[in-house]
Amino acid sequence: MASITLKDLVKAYGDTEVLHHIDGQIEDGEFVVIVGPSGCGKSTLLRMVAGLETVTGGEIHIGDRVVNELEPADRDIAMVFQNYALYPHMSVRENMAYGLKIRKISKDEINRRVEEAADILEIRPYLERKPRQLSGGQRQRVAMGRAIVRDPQVFLFDEPLSNLDAKLRVQMRLEIRKLQQKLGVTSIYVTHDQVEAMTLGDRLMVLNGGYVEQFGTPIELYDRPETMFVAGFIGSPAMNFLPAEVANGVTTLSNGAQLGVAQGQGNVVLGVRPEHLEPQEDGAIEVQVQLMEQLGANTLLHGALKGTDTEMVVSLPGHVTAAPGTEMKFGAAPENMHFFAPDTQKRIE
Amino acid sequence: MLKRVHFPSSALPFLLVAPQIIITLVFFIWPAAQAIYQSFLIEDAFGLSTEFVWFENFQILFQDKQYLATFWRTLFFSAAVAILSMSIALILAAFADRVVRGATAYRTLMIWPYAVAPVLAGALWVFMFNPTLGIFPFLLDMVGLDWNHYLKGSHAMMLVIFAAAWKQIAYNFLFYLAAMQSIPRSVIEAAAIDGAGPVRRFKDLIFPLISPTTFFLLVINAVYAFFDTFGIIHAVTQGGPANSTTILVYKVFNDGFVGLDLGGSAAQSVILMFLVITMTVVQFRYVERKVEY
Ligand SMILES: Nc1ncnc2c1ncn2[C@@H]1O[C@H](COP(=O)(O)OP(=O)(O)OP(=O)(O)O)[C@@H](O)[C@H]1O
Ligand SMILES: [Mg+2]
């Protein structure tokens, strides 16, 4: 087991810097999810930890070693790839045993470990099959099996579930979590799916355009997003952003409505999550409903802030009916109102 | 009810395929038929009369020690050319697969030998290995080797093998490189993480995964060495010294146009024809197997 430290990590392809001065500390046994939109550099970061990409600047520590110059083989890591990357001409057993065979572990020991892993992952019946004779979910398990038989210090996952259908994804997500807790191996997991990120990670590193936006527990990210990006990225449906102006402790929305809660001064952006808007008789946030989505457990109202074209979404528990054109008043608890500076996009305290 | 589509029959489709059919008939089918017919004939020494003898030409051939020796020589030559050019191409491709910078220039240079006409390729090697003027005999002389392919059969054989293999490297290289690049990068990376070094990855992964290409190239190279090396041999050794580099195609030419044994030569070409048909069938049947990733 080992901790991982990223120090001032930079990656550039030629003149284009794709990762900018990343810092972070991943504790021993922790499950960290790197999440962000497509192209933000998640895979690149993971591959640098794996040793598949060179480090342009900064340091990566695994345990107490600086691994910048080490070959992937010498880093004592295992990786699960998005496309599984199984060896097509080898049976499941050989796929799982390959890393052990290279390390010159005895035949009996290899068989014992492969079978043990196969039992954990319930792929025992497929051991003699070739990868092409397996379903996507089974291949995924084999890829996981190949990682766990090695008993490495670190697991790296690069979007391992994105090729599976929705139901299987949920199931495998739980299994990965259980497995990681059981084995207690430090893990880094890359995904662009925020639900996957929230459910899996002890902590989340939100990346955007090669910068770390925030690194914290799922609840921290949800309750106190540090930037507008994180606020909009975490949570579904996404947070509402309302342009507003603050003066003398009063927030004035763009339609002139006033709220008694305020942070900062001058132009701000007020962020409120759809599920934090509550219908109130004297609520200051008035929404003109345009569309209603009934999801059973809750109802989504799509509309605009009255008198403006600022789009808004409200999520109400249970069944609510509201005809298009209806105007409804909402309020929110002060701790659920987030203020951001429009220029820096950062949270205002 | 299924409705059938009826096309009004017209001459147009026949007209469109006619050029292809005519070319095939005139340049392939007719000469092949001629060769088969001729292989059943024996002409007397003065060319005054011909006699239809059924398979006598073939009988003579199979009892002819020289013909059988040529047969084995051809097998050896083909195997040597295929193995040599494929191994070199494989090594070059393995390196090119790892090259990132300047890869295009490298690949362009690699393909040039393929564009050289066989006779010119032969001429090039003749000059380089000329016992009195060539650069290689000069260098070999320094390590005490006396190179003379005009006198020594083994030297002549080596020279035609080199020349024929050299010309085929580019072709093999391209196929090997394409095969290697179609292996998903992540499979190789997974092996690297599993602890396999470059040599081990080549042995355990790359080579088995490109085995369909190896098989395909083996057939292609064998066909090439059997049938397309006439130009090289004609330019380099003319089959000599003492027939030591006479392979089957060269013997067809030699017996027919130099020795004027038209019936025997035709019988040889018919045998070659069946060989090439067999190899083509093998190629079509087994080469289409693919690796699924
Ligand atoms: N070999 C390369 N040369 C140049 N730029 C590259 C290279 N590989 C990746 N990039 C760039 O680096 C950035 C990050 O790529 P990366 O693959 O890490 O994204 P990602 O976050 O994993 O996205 P996705 O969710 O789509 O997988 C992208 O803008 C990409 O264009
Ligand atoms: Mg990626």
Side-chain angles (χ1 to χ4, degrees):
Chain A
M1 309 302 114
S3 62
I4 301 170
T5 312
L6 311 176
K7 273 198 194 142
D8 200 27
L9 202 58
V10 174
K11 176 69 191 183
Y13 290 107
D15 291 338
T16 14
E17 203 172 282
V18 296
L19 287 175
H20 319 278
H21 306 280
I22 308 253
D23 283 295
Q25 165 84 28
I26 296 166
E27 302 303 335
D28 186 10
E30 201 179 13
F31 198 126
V32 166
V33 177
I34 302 177
V35 63
S38 188
C40 68
K42 308 179 295 286
S43 300
T44 308
L45 181 54
L46 192 76
R47 292 166 56 82
M48 282 166 84
V49 176
L52 299 171
E53 299 277 354
T54 54
V55 175
T56 312
E59 280 178 0
I60 302 172
H61 300 247
I62 298 180
D64 43 19
R65 291 187 300 172
V66 178
V67 296
N68 283 28
E69 301 299 326
L70 286 187
E71 287 292 316
D74 302 326
R75 297 191 181 197
D76 204 5
I77 48 159
M79 183 156 167
V80 179
F81 292 83
Q82 177 171 4
N83 61 359
Y84 319 133
L86 300 176
Y87 312 129
H89 58 303
M90 297 187 195
S91 69
V92 169
R93 183 188 288 279
E94 289 164 338
N95 261 282
M96 288 166 70
Y98 187 63
L100 301 176
K101 221 170 84 188
I102 288 175
R103 283 178 173 71
K104 301 217 162 50
I105 291 169
S106 76
K107 268 234 168 67
D108 295 340
E109 173 70 5
I110 291 180
N111 278 337
R112 196 186 60 73
R113 277 160 77 167
V114 167
E115 276 157 27
E116 191 183 285
D119 284 338
I120 295 176
L121 293 163
E122 295 168 14
I123 47 174
R124 189 75 177 250
Y126 316 119
L127 276 180
E128 309 310 327
R129 289 206 201 162
K130 292 278 167 63
R132 66 167 174 280
Q133 298 165 314
L134 299 177
S135 73
Q138 290 162 345
R139 286 180 206 186
Q140 182 56 54
R141 280 163 205 269
V142 176
M144 302 262 305
R146 190 170 63 180
I148 66 176
V149 287
R150 292 250 320 277
D151 194 17
Q153 292 203 20
V154 176
F155 282 147
L156 304 173
F157 301 89
D158 191 355
E159 310 209 18
L161 305 183
S162 55
N163 286 351
L164 304 180
D165 68 51
K167 201 171 156 208
L168 199 55
R169 199 149 60 211
V170 173
Q171 187 194 339
M172 285 302 290
R173 193 168 80 198
L174 288 174
E175 283 187 33
I176 289 180
R177 187 64 179 137
K178 269 193 261 170
L179 195 66
Q180 195 269 344
Q181 277 172 352
K182 186 167 147 194
L183 303 172
V185 177
T186 315
S187 304
I188 306 182
Y189 187 106
V190 162
T191 179
H192 59 253
D193 179 343
Q194 56 105 3
V195 180
E196 214 168 281
M198 295 287 279
T199 49
L200 275 174
D202 291 326
R203 282 195 299 154
L204 270 54
M205 178 185 276
V206 183
L207 270 189
N208 183 30
Y211 291 97
V212 177
E213 294 271 341
Q214 193 171 352
F215 189 18
T217 64
I219 295 306
E220 276 167 20
L221 265 59
Y222 182 82
D223 284 349
R224 275 186 50 87
E226 290 296 335
T227 65
M228 276 177 74
F229 178 82
V230 176
F233 193 75
I234 301 294
S236 171
M239 187 183 275
N240 295 300
F241 291 116
L242 310 173
E245 214 172 295
V246 172
N248 307 321
V250 176
T251 306
T252 312
L253 298 180
S254 51
N255 63 356
Q258 295 198 319
L259 291 91
V261 187
Q263 296 284 353
Q265 194 58 253
N267 283 332
V268 297
V269 173
L270 170 63
V272 193
R273 295 194 184 279
E275 58 273 30
H276 289 155
L277 287 165
E278 302 154 11
Q280 284 173 359
E281 289 289 324
D282 55 350
I285 305 172
E286 240 182 308
V287 177
Q288 184 162 33
V289 178
Q290 288 157 352
L291 192 82
M292 183 181 67
E293 282 182 311
Q294 292 209 305
L295 303 175
N298 54 345
T299 307
L300 296 184
L301 303 176
H302 296 264
L305 185 65
K306 185 189 165 192
T308 69
D309 49 13
T310 310
E311 283 180 19
M312 289 192 67
V313 181
V314 182
S315 171
L316 298 173
H319 308 329
V320 179
T321 36
T326 319
E327 284 168 14
M328 297 175 78
K329 289 181 176 170
F330 296 95
E335 71 270 20
N336 288 333
M337 296 208 214
H338 311 270
F339 290 86
F340 299 97
D343 47 352
T344 60
Q345 310 255 307
K346 289 225 161 67
R347 183 182 189 85
I348 308 171
E349 287 303 325
Chain B
M1 270 292 282
L2 279 174
K3 277 196 190 141
R4 291 247 174 104
V5 183
H6 286 281
F7 291 104
S9 54
S10 83
L12 185 66
F14 297 99
L15 219 65
L16 290 176
V17 295
Q20 182 64 50
I21 288 180
I22 290 169
I23 287 172
T24 312
L25 280 175
V26 172
F27 291 101
F28 296 96
I29 308 291
W30 188 57
Q34 280 284 308
I36 293 173
Y37 175 63
Q38 287 228 341
S39 69
F40 294 141
L41 304 178
I42 289 184
E43 211 166 314
D44 73 70
F46 304 103
L48 295 176
S49 65
T50 48
E51 193 187 341
F52 194 86
V53 292
W54 285 108
F55 292 99
E56 198 181 317
N57 278 323
F58 293 90
Q59 266 166 11
I60 296 171
L61 267 185
F62 287 121
Q63 280 154 11
D64 178 1
K65 284 222 178 60
Q66 259 201 27
Y67 183 73
L68 294 178
T70 308
F71 201 89
W72 291 117
R73 190 180 304 126
T74 309
L75 280 187
F76 170 77
F77 171 78
S78 298
V81 168
I83 290 168
L84 187 66
S85 69
M86 283 170 68
S87 323
I88 295 175
L90 185 62
I91 293 166
L92 290 174
F95 282 109
D97 192 33
R98 296 166 64 91
V99 170
V100 183
R101 198 160 295 163
T104 353
Y106 185 51
R107 272 173 232 160
T108 313
L109 287 177
M110 279 302 305
I111 194 63
W112 277 358
Y114 192 61
V116 175
V119 179
L120 287 182
L124 202 67
W125 285 79
V126 166
F127 282 129
M128 287 196 299
F129 278 87
N130 185 300
T132 44
L133 300 169
I135 175 84
F136 282 105
F138 175 71
L139 293 175
L140 288 172
D141 197 40
M142 292 204 285
V143 293
L145 270 169
D146 181 21
W147 178 272
N148 194 337
H149 65 262
Y150 291 124
L151 298 177
K152 294 204 186 84
S154 59
H155 288 183
M157 190 51 146
M158 268 195 261
L159 187 54
V160 289
I161 288 172
F162 288 151
W166 173 76
K167 218 183 111 35
Q168 199 65 4
I169 288 173
Y171 182 90
N172 296 340
F173 169 80
L174 278 192
F175 273 85
Y176 269 137
L177 189 63
M180 285 180 194
Q181 296 196 327
S182 73
I183 300 175
R185 207 77 336 205
S186 57
V187 171
I188 306 296
E189 288 172 349
I193 289 176
D194 261 347
V199 176
R200 186 95 201 229
R201 294 202 290 271
F202 185 82
K203 183 171 89 56
D204 290 348
L205 285 171
I206 298 174
F207 192 70
L209 288 176
I210 60 175
S211 61
T213 304
T214 301
F215 184 73
F216 165 79
L217 287 177
L218 207 61
V219 176
I220 294 286
N221 280 279
V223 172
Y224 160 81
F226 258 75
F227 306 103
D228 286 346
T229 45
F230 175 83
I232 287 174
I233 290 177
H234 197 56
V236 177
T237 62
Q238 276 105 48
N243 282 341
S244 60
T245 53
T246 300
I247 62 165
L248 288 172
V249 260
Y250 203 79
K251 195 168 163 59
V252 171
F253 160 81
N254 228 12
D255 290 0
F257 293 95
V258 183
L260 291 178
D261 172 14
L262 290 182
S265 167
Q268 290 180 30
S269 68
V270 168
I271 294 171
L272 279 180
M273 195 162 79
F274 279 107
L275 277 174
V276 78
I277 288 170
T278 317
M279 288 202 217
T280 313
V281 169
V282 167
Q283 180 185 332
F284 278 147
R285 286 206 67 152
Y286 299 104
V287 164
E288 291 302 302
R289 284 182 312 167
K290 287 266 147 60
V291 182
E292 189 194 316
Y293 295 106

